[in-house]
Amino acid sequence: MFPSTALATVLVDELVRGGVREAVLAPGSRSAPLAYALEEADRAGRLRLHVRVDERSAGFLALGLARASGEPVVVVTTSGTAVANLHPAVLEAHHSAIPLVVLSADRPAELRGTGANQTTVQPGIFAGALRSEADLPAPESVSAATCAHWRSSVCRVLAAALDRTSADGWVRSGPVHLNVAFRDPLAPELSGDQHPPKLHGRPDGGPWTRVRAQRVRPDESDQRARGRTVVLLGDLGTPQLHDRALQWAQANGYPVLAEPFGRLPHGRTIVPHGVLVAGDEATLDELAPEQVVVVGRLTLFREFGRLLRRPGVVVEHISAQPSWTDPSHVVHEVHGIGHLSVVSATADQGWAQRWIEAGQAWGERVREAVLQQPTGIAVAATVAAALGDDDILVLGSSNAPRDLAIGLGAVQQVGSPVVLANRGLAGIDGTVSTAVGIALAGYGGGAAIDEEEASTRQRTIALMGDLTFLHDINGLLIGPTEPRPDLTIVVVNDDGGGIFSTLEYGEPARSADEASAAATERLFGTPHGTDLASVCRGYRIQHDLAHSLAHLGELLAEGSTGIRAIEVRVDRSGHRSLRDRLRAGSPRTERP
């Protein structure tokens, strides 16, 4: 057996022993030994292999699989620029604590710096964004000692990706990088020789090195009285932590202003249309909190940031990671997730109920403003209303999560589905590929599913804008022999970057000036005029055009297999006026 084949065989075998069940491959020549080893493992039913021609899509597909499953997923590339194309996915995994395993093939070390084709310095290419990295040299020969080194290296990066050694309750999972050099010959011998004993792993079929999880220390936070407390609930990474946070807030009687991540906000402590309440100074003056507890990571609304900066407010943060979110530098104290077990039972229930009522007062205005015709908010509310507890909603960045947060409650919700999104850096990169990965993870790791299970398993619905959809259109490039998910993508098509019209670039004064308006349209509006139906046809996926909100609801209620895009066209020019109309003072002051 050639040394390159032996190295790849051992690495893939140890990855499977370490719990890897999904792998994504972007093919190339230098990575051929890994490709053959992965295909062999796929054929044997040890893992499920996904092949993609675009490395960026491959990276986000792996990220989606890992995000949905919580398990490490491997993405394999060849050398050179192929590795660099994974950087956006690695950054998102770093900021979202997702166990993404980059396995990059490399040329022998002596070729670095010589001008050799497809050769650059790959170790350190993701500097600052990794939990661990290792650089394995190209072997000249194979021995039991070298195989032990290879297996040990795999165990180390997997332990770092999953944070199995943490004893303090923080979540330190994240991306790792195993860079592996291969020498020619890269293709295996055709003789079909059995693997020699020196390549074998532990006889019990387990990993070379077992890493035992440490016991999490109990939270040592004090249980002092907290007074009038409002909770701002952001992204915690998993729906389980989100559920725990809501239970904690409910046990304490704290009103909750929630971003729509982890799980669709629900429960009696949720303040409806919370961002609108937070943006109304009259309400805040009347119901001023003494303390605001931020749970998770806030990424959406400036109104929440202004609430945290109000004079006299004590801000505490409950974080799932060792780092915490505090861009305004106002946090007084940081707690781990263990703090969600602390119940003070000192809340002012009457005051908390007034927060809930303040949110309910916005309901009629939101319904009147958004449900007369398709708008981003109305589409988001319609999608949410179509989902049950067992479904998964994948959100793009930009307007989609903001529209959902505002529109929740405008249409009666059926359930509280899991909500997943790339909020680590909140970019639009790889959103389609991430959604494909999340939908594929719902298949149960590649296990066969009978017809009865297929009819009852969860649906995966993605909601995103047209630019987000087009930016990662190659996420739809799936070969005819590759596993394909059941995924419905709802595309809100406003022919450009609609979110910018709601920011300072879309201020009425700028729009009134012809030259300024033209510049804003070109630089930020970025109209594309793309026929989405033709694009979908080119990628062999079903396309439906929803003509109304009712039609959208009917399309979502239909059963479907494979990938389907539902396009909803909205007028981008109305985004600013809709936002201003919704935020025009508290509706409670309009009562007779």
Side-chain angles (χ1 to χ4, degrees):
M1 180 179 286
F2 297 133
S4 290
T5 301
L7 172 55
T9 299
V10 168
L11 293 179
V12 171
D13 179 62
E14 193 61 35
L15 285 166
V16 173
R17 289 166 177 258
V20 171
R21 295 295 179 266
E22 305 272 6
V24 183
L25 169 71
S29 179
R30 189 56 47 174
S31 59
L34 293 169
Y36 281 112
L38 288 169
E39 192 275 336
E40 181 180 349
D42 180 70
R43 236 181 322 117
R46 302 185 71 200
L47 55 69
R48 183 168 61 163
L49 177 63
H50 311 266
V51 180
R52 296 294 187 272
V53 300
D54 183 326
E55 285 85 2
R56 192 183 71 169
S57 292
F60 278 99
L61 170 61
L63 182 118
L65 287 163
R67 181 185 289 277
S69 67
E71 299 297 327
V73 175
V74 175
V75 56
V76 178
T77 73
T78 191
S79 64
T81 57
V83 188
N85 280 318
L86 297 179
H87 211 153
V90 169
L91 286 173
E92 178 62 33
H94 167 61
H95 288 279
S96 295
I98 296 175
L100 179 69
V101 180
V102 174
L103 180 55
S104 59
D106 202 351
R107 300 220 164 195
E110 67 268 16
L111 294 182
R112 295 172 186 165
T114 66
N117 192 36
Q118 291 188 333
T119 305
T120 188
V121 179
Q122 293 177 192
I125 196 170
F126 305 120
L130 297 173
R131 302 302 185 267
S132 177
E133 64 178 322
D135 184 26
L136 297 184
E140 300 282 358
S141 59
V142 181
S143 67
T146 56
C147 289
H149 172 221
W150 298 338
R151 291 185 183 276
S152 177
S153 298
V154 170
C155 292
R156 287 181 181 276
V157 296
L158 285 180
L162 283 173
D163 183 37
R164 285 174 170 157
T165 60
S166 175
D168 55 13
W170 301 114
V171 178
R172 292 189 175 91
S173 300
V176 295
H177 181 199
L178 184 57
N179 189 67
V180 186
F182 293 100
R183 298 185 189 281
D184 295 343
L186 300 174
E189 296 177 271
L190 294 176
S191 59
D193 291 341
Q194 295 295 315
H195 299 163
K198 60 189 173 185
L199 298 186
H200 294 174
R202 300 294 186 195
D204 64 355
W208 192 257
T209 304
R210 294 186 183 275
V211 182
R212 301 295 185 185
Q214 301 293 319
R215 296 177 68 89
V216 176
R217 292 197 299 266
D219 185 80
E220 299 175 355
S221 302
D222 64 300
Q223 300 187 36
R224 66 184 181 276
R226 300 183 179 279
R228 294 184 166 183
T229 298
V230 168
V231 173
L232 299 182
L233 179 57
D235 186 16
L236 280 163
T238 70
Q240 293 80 12
L241 287 179
H242 186 274
D243 290 342
R244 184 176 169 186
L246 284 177
Q247 292 166 5
W248 166 81
Q250 187 164 302
N252 280 285
Y254 299 150
V256 179
L257 281 63
E259 293 186 347
F261 304 115
R263 194 178 296 280
L264 211 62
H266 63 285
R268 66 173 185 265
T269 60
I270 293 291
V271 177
H273 315 294
V275 61
L276 299 178
V277 178
D280 180 49
E281 290 297 326
T283 297
L284 294 186
D285 289 341
E286 178 187 345
L287 301 176
E290 297 168 349
Q291 177 175 255
V292 177
V293 179
V294 178
V295 183
R297 183 161 179 255
L298 299 173
T299 61
L300 290 181
F301 296 114
R302 297 178 180 182
E303 289 89 341
F304 288 173
R306 287 195 292 270
L307 174 57
L308 295 174
R309 294 190 296 269
R310 282 179 67 88
V313 172
V314 175
V315 178
E316 296 193 7
H317 190 121
I318 299 176
S319 177
Q321 302 182 38
S323 59
W324 60 92
T325 307
D326 185 21
S328 298
H329 314 293
V330 294
V331 170
H332 290 68
E333 192 171 347
V334 178
H335 308 277
I337 289 299
H339 192 72
L340 294 178
S341 63
V342 176
V343 178
S344 63
T346 59
D348 182 337
Q349 297 299 324
W351 174 84
Q353 181 59 32
R354 287 160 63 197
W355 271 90
I356 307 298
E357 293 170 355
Q360 293 170 342
W362 288 89
E364 184 177 353
R365 177 184 292 184
V366 172
R367 284 189 292 272
E368 289 178 350
V370 305
L371 295 181
Q372 301 303 315
Q373 59 182 342
T375 63
I377 298 174
V379 170
T382 303
V383 170
L387 301 179
D389 291 338
D390 296 329
D391 295 326
I392 296 176
L393 175 62
V394 183
L395 292 178
S397 291
S398 298
N399 275 330
R402 293 171 172 85
D403 288 342
L404 181 61
I406 294 173
L408 278 178
V411 179
Q412 184 175 359
Q413 292 175 224
V414 175
S416 298
V418 169
V419 182
L420 301 176
N422 288 339
R423 300 309 297 174
L425 288 181
I428 66 173
D429 302 81
T431 303
V432 173
S433 299
T434 300
V436 169
I438 290 171
L440 282 167
Y443 279 97
I449 295 176
D450 61 31
E451 291 184 5
E452 182 178 353
E453 289 175 323
S455 64
T456 59
R457 69 172 181 263
Q458 62 195 15
R459 295 181 299 164
T460 302
I461 310 291
L463 174 65
M464 64 189 72
D466 50 312
L467 291 187
T468 300
F469 180 68
L470 292 171
H471 193 270
D472 188 34
I473 197 64
N474 261 4
L476 301 176
L477 185 59
I478 304 174
T481 61
E482 297 304 307
R484 297 181 71 87
D486 291 338
L487 170 67
T488 295
I489 305 174
V490 178
V491 184
V492 181
N493 184 7
D494 59 10
D495 191 30
I499 191 172
F500 292 106
S501 65
T502 66
L503 303 177
E504 52 266 38
Y505 322 107
E507 292 175 351
R510 294 182 182 276
S511 301
D513 179 79
E514 184 176 345
S516 179
T520 298
E521 176 70 356
R522 181 186 182 192
L523 300 177
F524 300 103
T526 58
H528 52 79
T530 302
D531 181 355
L532 297 189
S534 297
V535 170
C536 292
R537 191 160 50 249
Y539 281 92
R540 300 181 297 113
I541 71 168
Q542 179 181 340
H543 172 275
D544 293 299
L545 179 63
H547 302 289
S548 65
L549 295 176
H551 188 208
L552 172 61
E554 293 169 1
L555 291 172
L556 290 171
E558 295 175 356
S560 65
T561 58
I563 302 177
R564 173 178 66 156
I566 301 177
E567 178 186 358
V568 188
R569 295 173 183 169
V570 302
D571 184 0
R572 176 157 47 91
S573 65
H575 292 346
R576 181 76 183 212
S577 60
L578 174 60
R579 192 206 70 164
D580 293 344
R581 192 160 69 252
L582 287 173
R583 289 167 168 82
S586 172
R588 295 193 299 164
T589 62
E590 300 169 1
R591 296 176 180 174

